[in-house]
Amino acid sequence: MANFAQALTLLNDFNISNIEYLGIQRKFFPKWEGWDIIDNYQIPEYKLVSDFYNVFFWSKLKGDLIYNQDLANLLFIFSITNGKRKTIDKLDRVFGTYSNGVMNNDLVSRINSSDINFLFMYMYAELCEFCIMLDKKKDFCKLLKIYNSFVSN
């Protein structure tokens, strides 16, 4: 099973500023409690970041139920950059299913019984296309790091 703490380490490469903190963008999550701390020129506790990502992304993807850590990491990053619904829609496209934007047990089962190499490469290619389209060079470099760790295993 995939481990949330390991996936969370990928966030260390994300920006830190008054509009984004470790990938949490103020325009999308303006009510996140960390902004009040940042606005007072302090650093939020890491647990605040961890809890945010666990609630809004990892648990929604049922990351703990995905067998392959590298694939879970990729889906986690994909959902942060593209949104959870788009991530699940891409998976539905691969499997010919319709989950209405919600990761259900059937989709998790299909992920776990699929050709992990194919699924990883498909999602990776989709994410690279997104980063290139938006000229997100830094995000693209992060993806290369994830890819290299996957293919070297």
Side-chain angles (χ1 to χ4, degrees), residues 3-4 6 8 10 13 21 23 25 27 34 40-41 51 65 72 74 95 101 103 106 116-117 125 137 142-143 146:
N3 180 299
F4 173 65
Q6 187 176 342
L8 201 58
L10 299 171
D13 292 330
Y21 187 79
Q25 294 185 21
K27 69 179 178 181
N40 287 310
Y41 304 102
D51 290 349
L65 301 178
L74 183 63
F95 297 117
M103 182 69 85
D106 178 57
I116 295 299
N117 291 320
K137 293 179 179 86
K142 284 181 264 187
L143 295 175
I146 296 168

mmCIF file with all atom_site columns, all heavy atoms in Angstrom, residues 3-4 6 8 10 13 21 23 25 27 34 40-41 51 65 72 74 95 101 103 106 116-117 125 137 142-143 146:
data_model
loop_
_atom_site.group_PDB
_atom_site.id
_atom_site.type_symbol
_atom_site.label_atom_id
_atom_site.label_alt_id
_atom_site.label_comp_id
_atom_site.label_asym_id
_atom_site.label_entity_id
_atom_site.label_seq_id
_atom_site.pdbx_PDB_ins_code
_atom_site.Cartn_x
_atom_site.Cartn_y
_atom_site.Cartn_z
_atom_site.occupancy
_atom_site.B_iso_or_equiv
_atom_site.pdbx_formal_charge
_atom_site.auth_seq_id
_atom_site.auth_comp_id
_atom_site.auth_asym_id
_atom_site.auth_atom_id
_atom_site.pdbx_PDB_model_num
ATOM 1   N N   . ASN A 1 3   ? 2.119   5.064  0.828   1.00 0.00 ? 3   ASN A N   1
ATOM 2   C CA  . ASN A 1 3   ? 2.291   5.750  2.097   1.00 0.00 ? 3   ASN A CA  1
ATOM 3   C C   . ASN A 1 3   ? 2.187   7.258  1.889   1.00 0.00 ? 3   ASN A C   1
ATOM 4   O O   . ASN A 1 3   ? 2.950   7.838  1.119   1.00 0.00 ? 3   ASN A O   1
ATOM 5   C CB  . ASN A 1 3   ? 3.663   5.366  2.654   1.00 0.00 ? 3   ASN A CB  1
ATOM 6   C CG  . ASN A 1 3   ? 3.966   6.003  3.973   1.00 0.00 ? 3   ASN A CG  1
ATOM 7   O OD1 . ASN A 1 3   ? 4.015   7.216  4.079   1.00 0.00 ? 3   ASN A OD1 1
ATOM 8   N ND2 . ASN A 1 3   ? 4.197   5.175  4.970   1.00 0.00 ? 3   ASN A ND2 1
ATOM 9   N N   . PHE A 1 4   ? 1.256   7.892  2.593   1.00 0.00 ? 4   PHE A N   1
ATOM 10  C CA  . PHE A 1 4   ? 1.021   9.325  2.458   1.00 0.00 ? 4   PHE A CA  1
ATOM 11  C C   . PHE A 1 4   ? 2.268   10.139 2.830   1.00 0.00 ? 4   PHE A C   1
ATOM 12  O O   . PHE A 1 4   ? 2.614   11.098 2.142   1.00 0.00 ? 4   PHE A O   1
ATOM 13  C CB  . PHE A 1 4   ? -0.172  9.755  3.317   1.00 0.00 ? 4   PHE A CB  1
ATOM 14  C CG  . PHE A 1 4   ? -0.383  11.235 3.366   1.00 0.00 ? 4   PHE A CG  1
ATOM 15  C CD1 . PHE A 1 4   ? -0.723  11.942 2.216   1.00 0.00 ? 4   PHE A CD1 1
ATOM 16  C CD2 . PHE A 1 4   ? -0.244  11.929 4.550   1.00 0.00 ? 4   PHE A CD2 1
ATOM 17  C CE1 . PHE A 1 4   ? -0.917  13.314 2.249   1.00 0.00 ? 4   PHE A CE1 1
ATOM 18  C CE2 . PHE A 1 4   ? -0.441  13.297 4.594   1.00 0.00 ? 4   PHE A CE2 1
ATOM 19  C CZ  . PHE A 1 4   ? -0.772  13.987 3.435   1.00 0.00 ? 4   PHE A CZ  1
ATOM 20  N N   . GLN A 1 6   ? 5.344   9.467  2.529   1.00 0.00 ? 6   GLN A N   1
ATOM 21  C CA  . GLN A 1 6   ? 6.326   9.444  1.435   1.00 0.00 ? 6   GLN A CA  1
ATOM 22  C C   . GLN A 1 6   ? 5.889   10.356 0.296   1.00 0.00 ? 6   GLN A C   1
ATOM 23  O O   . GLN A 1 6   ? 6.693   11.089 -0.266  1.00 0.00 ? 6   GLN A O   1
ATOM 24  C CB  . GLN A 1 6   ? 6.530   8.017  0.934   1.00 0.00 ? 6   GLN A CB  1
ATOM 25  C CG  . GLN A 1 6   ? 7.656   7.913  -0.077  1.00 0.00 ? 6   GLN A CG  1
ATOM 26  C CD  . GLN A 1 6   ? 7.932   6.485  -0.497  1.00 0.00 ? 6   GLN A CD  1
ATOM 27  O OE1 . GLN A 1 6   ? 7.536   5.546  0.177   1.00 0.00 ? 6   GLN A OE1 1
ATOM 28  N NE2 . GLN A 1 6   ? 8.607   6.331  -1.612  1.00 0.00 ? 6   GLN A NE2 1
ATOM 29  N N   . LEU A 1 8   ? 4.061   12.960 0.533   1.00 0.00 ? 8   LEU A N   1
ATOM 30  C CA  . LEU A 1 8   ? 4.118   14.334 1.019   1.00 0.00 ? 8   LEU A CA  1
ATOM 31  C C   . LEU A 1 8   ? 5.498   14.960 0.832   1.00 0.00 ? 8   LEU A C   1
ATOM 32  O O   . LEU A 1 8   ? 5.616   16.170 0.645   1.00 0.00 ? 8   LEU A O   1
ATOM 33  C CB  . LEU A 1 8   ? 3.722   14.360 2.500   1.00 0.00 ? 8   LEU A CB  1
ATOM 34  C CG  . LEU A 1 8   ? 3.243   15.668 3.079   1.00 0.00 ? 8   LEU A CG  1
ATOM 35  C CD1 . LEU A 1 8   ? 2.023   16.187 2.326   1.00 0.00 ? 8   LEU A CD1 1
ATOM 36  C CD2 . LEU A 1 8   ? 2.894   15.497 4.544   1.00 0.00 ? 8   LEU A CD2 1
ATOM 37  N N   . LEU A 1 10  ? 7.235   14.975 -1.699  1.00 0.00 ? 10  LEU A N   1
ATOM 38  C CA  . LEU A 1 10  ? 7.322   15.563 -3.039  1.00 0.00 ? 10  LEU A CA  1
ATOM 39  C C   . LEU A 1 10  ? 6.968   17.046 -3.023  1.00 0.00 ? 10  LEU A C   1
ATOM 40  O O   . LEU A 1 10  ? 7.344   17.790 -3.934  1.00 0.00 ? 10  LEU A O   1
ATOM 41  C CB  . LEU A 1 10  ? 6.393   14.831 -4.004  1.00 0.00 ? 10  LEU A CB  1
ATOM 42  C CG  . LEU A 1 10  ? 6.683   13.354 -4.220  1.00 0.00 ? 10  LEU A CG  1
ATOM 43  C CD1 . LEU A 1 10  ? 5.570   12.707 -5.022  1.00 0.00 ? 10  LEU A CD1 1
ATOM 44  C CD2 . LEU A 1 10  ? 8.018   13.172 -4.916  1.00 0.00 ? 10  LEU A CD2 1
ATOM 45  N N   . ASP A 1 13  ? 9.445   20.605 -3.138  1.00 0.00 ? 13  ASP A N   1
ATOM 46  C CA  . ASP A 1 13  ? 9.909   21.352 -4.299  1.00 0.00 ? 13  ASP A CA  1
ATOM 47  C C   . ASP A 1 13  ? 8.944   22.454 -4.720  1.00 0.00 ? 13  ASP A C   1
ATOM 48  O O   . ASP A 1 13  ? 9.251   23.230 -5.607  1.00 0.00 ? 13  ASP A O   1
ATOM 49  C CB  . ASP A 1 13  ? 10.121  20.407 -5.495  1.00 0.00 ? 13  ASP A CB  1
ATOM 50  C CG  . ASP A 1 13  ? 11.281  19.463 -5.268  1.00 0.00 ? 13  ASP A CG  1
ATOM 51  O OD1 . ASP A 1 13  ? 12.221  19.848 -4.556  1.00 0.00 ? 13  ASP A OD1 1
ATOM 52  O OD2 . ASP A 1 13  ? 11.250  18.340 -5.789  1.00 0.00 ? 13  ASP A OD2 1
ATOM 53  N N   . TYR A 1 21  ? 1.993   28.199 -0.792  1.00 0.00 ? 21  TYR A N   1
ATOM 54  C CA  . TYR A 1 21  ? 2.822   27.607 0.251   1.00 0.00 ? 21  TYR A CA  1
ATOM 55  C C   . TYR A 1 21  ? 2.827   26.097 0.060   1.00 0.00 ? 21  TYR A C   1
ATOM 56  O O   . TYR A 1 21  ? 1.798   25.443 0.242   1.00 0.00 ? 21  TYR A O   1
ATOM 57  C CB  . TYR A 1 21  ? 2.309   27.970 1.648   1.00 0.00 ? 21  TYR A CB  1
ATOM 58  C CG  . TYR A 1 21  ? 3.241   27.516 2.735   1.00 0.00 ? 21  TYR A CG  1
ATOM 59  C CD1 . TYR A 1 21  ? 4.390   28.245 3.022   1.00 0.00 ? 21  TYR A CD1 1
ATOM 60  C CD2 . TYR A 1 21  ? 3.006   26.356 3.447   1.00 0.00 ? 21  TYR A CD2 1
ATOM 61  C CE1 . TYR A 1 21  ? 5.268   27.830 4.004   1.00 0.00 ? 21  TYR A CE1 1
ATOM 62  C CE2 . TYR A 1 21  ? 3.879   25.927 4.421   1.00 0.00 ? 21  TYR A CE2 1
ATOM 63  C CZ  . TYR A 1 21  ? 5.011   26.666 4.704   1.00 0.00 ? 21  TYR A CZ  1
ATOM 64  O OH  . TYR A 1 21  ? 5.887   26.242 5.660   1.00 0.00 ? 21  TYR A OH  1
ATOM 65  N N   . GLY A 1 23  ? 2.664   24.348 -2.501  1.00 0.00 ? 23  GLY A N   1
ATOM 66  C CA  . GLY A 1 23  ? 1.656   23.905 -3.460  1.00 0.00 ? 23  GLY A CA  1
ATOM 67  C C   . GLY A 1 23  ? 0.231   24.307 -3.121  1.00 0.00 ? 23  GLY A C   1
ATOM 68  O O   . GLY A 1 23  ? -0.664  24.162 -3.935  1.00 0.00 ? 23  GLY A O   1
ATOM 69  N N   . GLN A 1 25  ? -2.354  26.871 -3.046  1.00 0.00 ? 25  GLN A N   1
ATOM 70  C CA  . GLN A 1 25  ? -2.499  28.188 -3.663  1.00 0.00 ? 25  GLN A CA  1
ATOM 71  C C   . GLN A 1 25  ? -3.622  28.972 -2.997  1.00 0.00 ? 25  GLN A C   1
ATOM 72  O O   . GLN A 1 25  ? -4.733  28.475 -2.841  1.00 0.00 ? 25  GLN A O   1
ATOM 73  C CB  . GLN A 1 25  ? -2.752  28.045 -5.156  1.00 0.00 ? 25  GLN A CB  1
ATOM 74  C CG  . GLN A 1 25  ? -1.563  27.454 -5.878  1.00 0.00 ? 25  GLN A CG  1
ATOM 75  C CD  . GLN A 1 25  ? -1.764  27.422 -7.370  1.00 0.00 ? 25  GLN A CD  1
ATOM 76  O OE1 . GLN A 1 25  ? -2.576  28.152 -7.922  1.00 0.00 ? 25  GLN A OE1 1
ATOM 77  N NE2 . GLN A 1 25  ? -1.012  26.560 -8.036  1.00 0.00 ? 25  GLN A NE2 1
ATOM 78  N N   . LYS A 1 27  ? -5.422  31.388 -4.071  1.00 0.00 ? 27  LYS A N   1
ATOM 79  C CA  . LYS A 1 27  ? -6.624  31.661 -4.872  1.00 0.00 ? 27  LYS A CA  1
ATOM 80  C C   . LYS A 1 27  ? -7.594  30.479 -4.887  1.00 0.00 ? 27  LYS A C   1
ATOM 81  O O   . LYS A 1 27  ? -8.786  30.668 -5.075  1.00 0.00 ? 27  LYS A O   1
ATOM 82  C CB  . LYS A 1 27  ? -6.262  32.093 -6.292  1.00 0.00 ? 27  LYS A CB  1
ATOM 83  C CG  . LYS A 1 27  ? -5.666  31.020 -7.170  1.00 0.00 ? 27  LYS A CG  1
ATOM 84  C CD  . LYS A 1 27  ? -5.362  31.562 -8.558  1.00 0.00 ? 27  LYS A CD  1
ATOM 85  C CE  . LYS A 1 27  ? -4.727  30.506 -9.422  1.00 0.00 ? 27  LYS A CE  1
ATOM 86  N NZ  . LYS A 1 27  ? -4.409  31.010 -10.752 1.00 0.00 ? 27  LYS A NZ  1
ATOM 87  N N   . GLY A 1 34  ? -3.460  28.210 7.324   1.00 0.00 ? 34  GLY A N   1
ATOM 88  C CA  . GLY A 1 34  ? -2.048  28.568 7.214   1.00 0.00 ? 34  GLY A CA  1
ATOM 89  C C   . GLY A 1 34  ? -1.817  29.981 6.716   1.00 0.00 ? 34  GLY A C   1
ATOM 90  O O   . GLY A 1 34  ? -0.786  30.596 7.017   1.00 0.00 ? 34  GLY A O   1
ATOM 91  N N   . ASN A 1 40  ? 1.154   36.733 9.138   1.00 0.00 ? 40  ASN A N   1
ATOM 92  C CA  . ASN A 1 40  ? 1.812   37.268 10.338  1.00 0.00 ? 40  ASN A CA  1
ATOM 93  C C   . ASN A 1 40  ? 3.313   36.955 10.334  1.00 0.00 ? 40  ASN A C   1
ATOM 94  O O   . ASN A 1 40  ? 3.950   36.950 11.391  1.00 0.00 ? 40  ASN A O   1
ATOM 95  C CB  . ASN A 1 40  ? 1.147   36.715 11.601  1.00 0.00 ? 40  ASN A CB  1
ATOM 96  C CG  . ASN A 1 40  ? -0.205  37.341 11.839  1.00 0.00 ? 40  ASN A CG  1
ATOM 97  O OD1 . ASN A 1 40  ? -0.322  38.557 11.814  1.00 0.00 ? 40  ASN A OD1 1
ATOM 98  N ND2 . ASN A 1 40  ? -1.216  36.519 12.047  1.00 0.00 ? 40  ASN A ND2 1
ATOM 99  N N   . TYR A 1 41  ? 3.845   36.665 9.140   1.00 0.00 ? 41  TYR A N   1
ATOM 100 C CA  . TYR A 1 41  ? 5.282   36.431 8.928   1.00 0.00 ? 41  TYR A CA  1
ATOM 101 C C   . TYR A 1 41  ? 5.829   35.284 9.760   1.00 0.00 ? 41  TYR A C   1
ATOM 102 O O   . TYR A 1 41  ? 6.938   35.333 10.280  1.00 0.00 ? 41  TYR A O   1
ATOM 103 C CB  . TYR A 1 41  ? 6.091   37.717 9.198   1.00 0.00 ? 41  TYR A CB  1
ATOM 104 C CG  . TYR A 1 41  ? 5.611   38.866 8.357   1.00 0.00 ? 41  TYR A CG  1
ATOM 105 C CD1 . TYR A 1 41  ? 4.792   39.858 8.899   1.00 0.00 ? 41  TYR A CD1 1
ATOM 106 C CD2 . TYR A 1 41  ? 5.940   38.944 7.007   1.00 0.00 ? 41  TYR A CD2 1
ATOM 107 C CE1 . TYR A 1 41  ? 4.329   40.909 8.121   1.00 0.00 ? 41  TYR A CE1 1
ATOM 108 C CE2 . TYR A 1 41  ? 5.483   39.988 6.221   1.00 0.00 ? 41  TYR A CE2 1
ATOM 109 C CZ  . TYR A 1 41  ? 4.676   40.967 6.775   1.00 0.00 ? 41  TYR A CZ  1
ATOM 110 O OH  . TYR A 1 41  ? 4.216   41.985 6.002   1.00 0.00 ? 41  TYR A OH  1
ATOM 111 N N   . ASP A 1 51  ? -2.060  17.776 7.125   1.00 0.00 ? 51  ASP A N   1
ATOM 112 C CA  . ASP A 1 51  ? -3.498  17.547 7.305   1.00 0.00 ? 51  ASP A CA  1
ATOM 113 C C   . ASP A 1 51  ? -4.292  18.052 6.106   1.00 0.00 ? 51  ASP A C   1
ATOM 114 O O   . ASP A 1 51  ? -5.237  17.407 5.654   1.00 0.00 ? 51  ASP A O   1
ATOM 115 C CB  . ASP A 1 51  ? -4.005  18.228 8.579   1.00 0.00 ? 51  ASP A CB  1
ATOM 116 C CG  . ASP A 1 51  ? -3.504  17.560 9.848   1.00 0.00 ? 51  ASP A CG  1
ATOM 117 O OD1 . ASP A 1 51  ? -2.931  16.446 9.757   1.00 0.00 ? 51  ASP A OD1 1
ATOM 118 O OD2 . ASP A 1 51  ? -3.670  18.167 10.929  1.00 0.00 ? 51  ASP A OD2 1
ATOM 119 N N   . LEU A 1 65  ? -4.971  2.985  -0.418  1.00 0.00 ? 65  LEU A N   1
ATOM 120 C CA  . LEU A 1 65  ? -5.407  1.712  -0.989  1.00 0.00 ? 65  LEU A CA  1
ATOM 121 C C   . LEU A 1 65  ? -4.689  1.363  -2.302  1.00 0.00 ? 65  LEU A C   1
ATOM 122 O O   . LEU A 1 65  ? -4.869  0.274  -2.832  1.00 0.00 ? 65  LEU A O   1
ATOM 123 C CB  . LEU A 1 65  ? -6.922  1.734  -1.234  1.00 0.00 ? 65  LEU A CB  1
ATOM 124 C CG  . LEU A 1 65  ? -7.788  1.974  0.006   1.00 0.00 ? 65  LEU A CG  1
ATOM 125 C CD1 . LEU A 1 65  ? -9.263  2.019  -0.383  1.00 0.00 ? 65  LEU A CD1 1
ATOM 126 C CD2 . LEU A 1 65  ? -7.539  0.897  1.054   1.00 0.00 ? 65  LEU A CD2 1
ATOM 127 N N   . ALA A 1 72  ? 0.914   6.112  -6.889  1.00 0.00 ? 72  ALA A N   1
ATOM 128 C CA  . ALA A 1 72  ? 0.154   6.928  -5.928  1.00 0.00 ? 72  ALA A CA  1
ATOM 129 C C   . ALA A 1 72  ? 0.748   8.330  -5.841  1.00 0.00 ? 72  ALA A C   1
ATOM 130 O O   . ALA A 1 72  ? 0.014   9.321  -5.810  1.00 0.00 ? 72  ALA A O   1
ATOM 131 C CB  . ALA A 1 72  ? 0.145   6.255  -4.558  1.00 0.00 ? 72  ALA A CB  1
ATOM 132 N N   . LEU A 1 74  ? 2.393   9.901  -8.198  1.00 0.00 ? 74  LEU A N   1
ATOM 133 C CA  . LEU A 1 74  ? 2.074   10.605 -9.444  1.00 0.00 ? 74  LEU A CA  1
ATOM 134 C C   . LEU A 1 74  ? 0.623   11.078 -9.448  1.00 0.00 ? 74  LEU A C   1
ATOM 135 O O   . LEU A 1 74  ? 0.332   12.220 -9.816  1.00 0.00 ? 74  LEU A O   1
ATOM 136 C CB  . LEU A 1 74  ? 2.345   9.703  -10.649 1.00 0.00 ? 74  LEU A CB  1
ATOM 137 C CG  . LEU A 1 74  ? 2.125   10.340 -12.016 1.00 0.00 ? 74  LEU A CG  1
ATOM 138 C CD1 . LEU A 1 74  ? 3.089   11.497 -12.241 1.00 0.00 ? 74  LEU A CD1 1
ATOM 139 C CD2 . LEU A 1 74  ? 2.286   9.313  -13.110 1.00 0.00 ? 74  LEU A CD2 1
ATOM 140 N N   . PHE A 1 95  ? -9.772  3.358  -18.188 1.00 0.00 ? 95  PHE A N   1
ATOM 141 C CA  . PHE A 1 95  ? -10.483 2.119  -17.866 1.00 0.00 ? 95  PHE A CA  1
ATOM 142 C C   . PHE A 1 95  ? -11.864 2.009  -18.494 1.00 0.00 ? 95  PHE A C   1
ATOM 143 O O   . PHE A 1 95  ? -12.532 0.981  -18.341 1.00 0.00 ? 95  PHE A O   1
ATOM 144 C CB  . PHE A 1 95  ? -10.597 1.956  -16.350 1.00 0.00 ? 95  PHE A CB  1
ATOM 145 C CG  . PHE A 1 95  ? -9.269  1.825  -15.669 1.00 0.00 ? 95  PHE A CG  1
ATOM 146 C CD1 . PHE A 1 95  ? -8.853  2.770  -14.746 1.00 0.00 ? 95  PHE A CD1 1
ATOM 147 C CD2 . PHE A 1 95  ? -8.427  0.765  -15.957 1.00 0.00 ? 95  PHE A CD2 1
ATOM 148 C CE1 . PHE A 1 95  ? -7.630  2.651  -14.112 1.00 0.00 ? 95  PHE A CE1 1
ATOM 149 C CE2 . PHE A 1 95  ? -7.196  0.634  -15.337 1.00 0.00 ? 95  PHE A CE2 1
ATOM 150 C CZ  . PHE A 1 95  ? -6.799  1.592  -14.410 1.00 0.00 ? 95  PHE A CZ  1
ATOM 151 N N   . GLY A 1 101 ? -16.235 11.797 -11.070 1.00 0.00 ? 101 GLY A N   1
ATOM 152 C CA  . GLY A 1 101 ? -15.245 12.586 -10.362 1.00 0.00 ? 101 GLY A CA  1
ATOM 153 C C   . GLY A 1 101 ? -14.937 12.129 -8.951  1.00 0.00 ? 101 GLY A C   1
ATOM 154 O O   . GLY A 1 101 ? -14.287 12.841 -8.196  1.00 0.00 ? 101 GLY A O   1
ATOM 155 N N   . MET A 1 103 ? -13.287 9.003  -6.600  1.00 0.00 ? 103 MET A N   1
ATOM 156 C CA  . MET A 1 103 ? -12.513 7.759  -6.589  1.00 0.00 ? 103 MET A CA  1
ATOM 157 C C   . MET A 1 103 ? -13.302 6.727  -5.785  1.00 0.00 ? 103 MET A C   1
ATOM 158 O O   . MET A 1 103 ? -13.503 6.883  -4.583  1.00 0.00 ? 103 MET A O   1
ATOM 159 C CB  . MET A 1 103 ? -11.150 8.003  -5.950  1.00 0.00 ? 103 MET A CB  1
ATOM 160 C CG  . MET A 1 103 ? -10.257 6.778  -5.943  1.00 0.00 ? 103 MET A CG  1
ATOM 161 S SD  . MET A 1 103 ? -9.671  6.293  -7.575  1.00 0.00 ? 103 MET A SD  1
ATOM 162 C CE  . MET A 1 103 ? -8.248  7.350  -7.745  1.00 0.00 ? 103 MET A CE  1
ATOM 163 N N   . ASP A 1 106 ? -14.152 0.493  -7.019  1.00 0.00 ? 106 ASP A N   1
ATOM 164 C CA  . ASP A 1 106 ? -13.983 -0.169 -8.313  1.00 0.00 ? 106 ASP A CA  1
ATOM 165 C C   . ASP A 1 106 ? -12.799 0.425  -9.064  1.00 0.00 ? 106 ASP A C   1
ATOM 166 O O   . ASP A 1 106 ? -11.985 -0.307 -9.630  1.00 0.00 ? 106 ASP A O   1
ATOM 167 C CB  . ASP A 1 106 ? -15.266 -0.046 -9.151  1.00 0.00 ? 106 ASP A CB  1
ATOM 168 C CG  . ASP A 1 106 ? -15.104 -0.681 -10.523 1.00 0.00 ? 106 ASP A CG  1
ATOM 169 O OD1 . ASP A 1 106 ? -14.773 -1.889 -10.587 1.00 0.00 ? 106 ASP A OD1 1
ATOM 170 O OD2 . ASP A 1 106 ? -15.288 0.038  -11.530 1.00 0.00 ? 106 ASP A OD2 1
ATOM 171 N N   . ILE A 1 116 ? 0.802   -1.434 -14.317 1.00 0.00 ? 116 ILE A N   1
ATOM 172 C CA  . ILE A 1 116 ? 1.271   -0.232 -13.632 1.00 0.00 ? 116 ILE A CA  1
ATOM 173 C C   . ILE A 1 116 ? 2.167   0.600  -14.543 1.00 0.00 ? 116 ILE A C   1
ATOM 174 O O   . ILE A 1 116 ? 2.088   1.830  -14.550 1.00 0.00 ? 116 ILE A O   1
ATOM 175 C CB  . ILE A 1 116 ? 2.009   -0.597 -12.324 1.00 0.00 ? 116 ILE A CB  1
ATOM 176 C CG1 . ILE A 1 116 ? 1.040   -1.232 -11.332 1.00 0.00 ? 116 ILE A CG1 1
ATOM 177 C CG2 . ILE A 1 116 ? 2.681   0.607  -11.708 1.00 0.00 ? 116 ILE A CG2 1
ATOM 178 C CD1 . ILE A 1 116 ? -0.120  -0.352 -10.910 1.00 0.00 ? 116 ILE A CD1 1
ATOM 179 N N   . ASN A 1 117 ? 3.010   -0.041 -15.323 1.00 0.00 ? 117 ASN A N   1
ATOM 180 C CA  . ASN A 1 117 ? 3.901   0.715  -16.223 1.00 0.00 ? 117 ASN A CA  1
ATOM 181 C C   . ASN A 1 117 ? 3.105   1.533  -17.223 1.00 0.00 ? 117 ASN A C   1
ATOM 182 O O   . ASN A 1 117 ? 3.394   2.705  -17.453 1.00 0.00 ? 117 ASN A O   1
ATOM 183 C CB  . ASN A 1 117 ? 4.872   -0.215 -16.944 1.00 0.00 ? 117 ASN A CB  1
ATOM 184 C CG  . ASN A 1 117 ? 5.887   -0.809 -15.997 1.00 0.00 ? 117 ASN A CG  1
ATOM 185 O OD1 . ASN A 1 117 ? 6.383   -0.128 -15.104 1.00 0.00 ? 117 ASN A OD1 1
ATOM 186 N ND2 . ASN A 1 117 ? 6.180   -2.075 -16.160 1.00 0.00 ? 117 ASN A ND2 1
ATOM 187 N N   . ALA A 1 125 ? 2.538   11.208 -18.982 1.00 0.00 ? 125 ALA A N   1
ATOM 188 C CA  . ALA A 1 125 ? 2.469   11.945 -20.252 1.00 0.00 ? 125 ALA A CA  1
ATOM 189 C C   . ALA A 1 125 ? 1.415   13.043 -20.175 1.00 0.00 ? 125 ALA A C   1
ATOM 190 O O   . ALA A 1 125 ? 1.635   14.161 -20.660 1.00 0.00 ? 125 ALA A O   1
ATOM 191 C CB  . ALA A 1 125 ? 2.168   10.984 -21.404 1.00 0.00 ? 125 ALA A CB  1
ATOM 192 N N   . LYS A 1 137 ? 7.960   25.180 -16.200 1.00 0.00 ? 137 LYS A N   1
ATOM 193 C CA  . LYS A 1 137 ? 9.243   24.482 -16.279 1.00 0.00 ? 137 LYS A CA  1
ATOM 194 C C   . LYS A 1 137 ? 9.659   23.864 -14.946 1.00 0.00 ? 137 LYS A C   1
ATOM 195 O O   . LYS A 1 137 ? 10.161  22.756 -14.907 1.00 0.00 ? 137 LYS A O   1
ATOM 196 C CB  . LYS A 1 137 ? 10.315  25.443 -16.786 1.00 0.00 ? 137 LYS A CB  1
ATOM 197 C CG  . LYS A 1 137 ? 10.096  25.867 -18.223 1.00 0.00 ? 137 LYS A CG  1
ATOM 198 C CD  . LYS A 1 137 ? 11.170  26.828 -18.680 1.00 0.00 ? 137 LYS A CD  1
ATOM 199 C CE  . LYS A 1 137 ? 10.962  27.218 -20.114 1.00 0.00 ? 137 LYS A CE  1
ATOM 200 N NZ  . LYS A 1 137 ? 10.062  28.323 -20.294 1.00 0.00 ? 137 LYS A NZ  1
ATOM 201 N N   . LYS A 1 142 ? 10.172  18.741 -11.604 1.00 0.00 ? 142 LYS A N   1
ATOM 202 C CA  . LYS A 1 142 ? 9.719   17.874 -10.506 1.00 0.00 ? 142 LYS A CA  1
ATOM 203 C C   . LYS A 1 142 ? 9.204   16.549 -11.065 1.00 0.00 ? 142 LYS A C   1
ATOM 204 O O   . LYS A 1 142 ? 9.444   15.488 -10.514 1.00 0.00 ? 142 LYS A O   1
ATOM 205 C CB  . LYS A 1 142 ? 8.616   18.553 -9.702  1.00 0.00 ? 142 LYS A CB  1
ATOM 206 C CG  . LYS A 1 142 ? 9.112   19.620 -8.780  1.00 0.00 ? 142 LYS A CG  1
ATOM 207 C CD  . LYS A 1 142 ? 7.971   20.207 -8.018  1.00 0.00 ? 142 LYS A CD  1
ATOM 208 C CE  . LYS A 1 142 ? 7.517   21.452 -8.740  1.00 0.00 ? 142 LYS A CE  1
ATOM 209 N NZ  . LYS A 1 142 ? 6.538   22.250 -8.092  1.00 0.00 ? 142 LYS A NZ  1
ATOM 210 N N   . LEU A 1 143 ? 8.495   16.647 -12.192 1.00 0.00 ? 143 LEU A N   1
ATOM 211 C CA  . LEU A 1 143 ? 7.958   15.435 -12.810 1.00 0.00 ? 143 LEU A CA  1
ATOM 212 C C   . LEU A 1 143 ? 9.076   14.527 -13.293 1.00 0.00 ? 143 LEU A C   1
ATOM 213 O O   . LEU A 1 143 ? 8.982   13.308 -13.176 1.00 0.00 ? 143 LEU A O   1
ATOM 214 C CB  . LEU A 1 143 ? 7.063   15.798 -14.000 1.00 0.00 ? 143 LEU A CB  1
ATOM 215 C CG  . LEU A 1 143 ? 5.799   16.557 -13.662 1.00 0.00 ? 143 LEU A CG  1
ATOM 216 C CD1 . LEU A 1 143 ? 5.077   16.943 -14.932 1.00 0.00 ? 143 LEU A CD1 1
ATOM 217 C CD2 . LEU A 1 143 ? 4.917   15.721 -12.785 1.00 0.00 ? 143 LEU A CD2 1
ATOM 218 N N   . ILE A 1 146 ? 10.258  12.506 -10.425 1.00 0.00 ? 146 ILE A N   1
ATOM 219 C CA  . ILE A 1 146 ? 9.345   11.400 -10.122 1.00 0.00 ? 146 ILE A CA  1
ATOM 220 C C   . ILE A 1 146 ? 9.519   10.280 -11.139 1.00 0.00 ? 146 ILE A C   1
ATOM 221 O O   . ILE A 1 146 ? 9.631   9.114  -10.802 1.00 0.00 ? 146 ILE A O   1
ATOM 222 C CB  . ILE A 1 146 ? 7.884   11.883 -10.114 1.00 0.00 ? 146 ILE A CB  1
ATOM 223 C CG1 . ILE A 1 146 ? 7.657   12.898 -9.007  1.00 0.00 ? 146 ILE A CG1 1
ATOM 224 C CG2 . ILE A 1 146 ? 6.925   10.702 -9.955  1.00 0.00 ? 146 ILE A CG2 1
ATOM 225 C CD1 . ILE A 1 146 ? 6.329   13.626 -9.114  1.00 0.00 ? 146 ILE A CD1 1
#
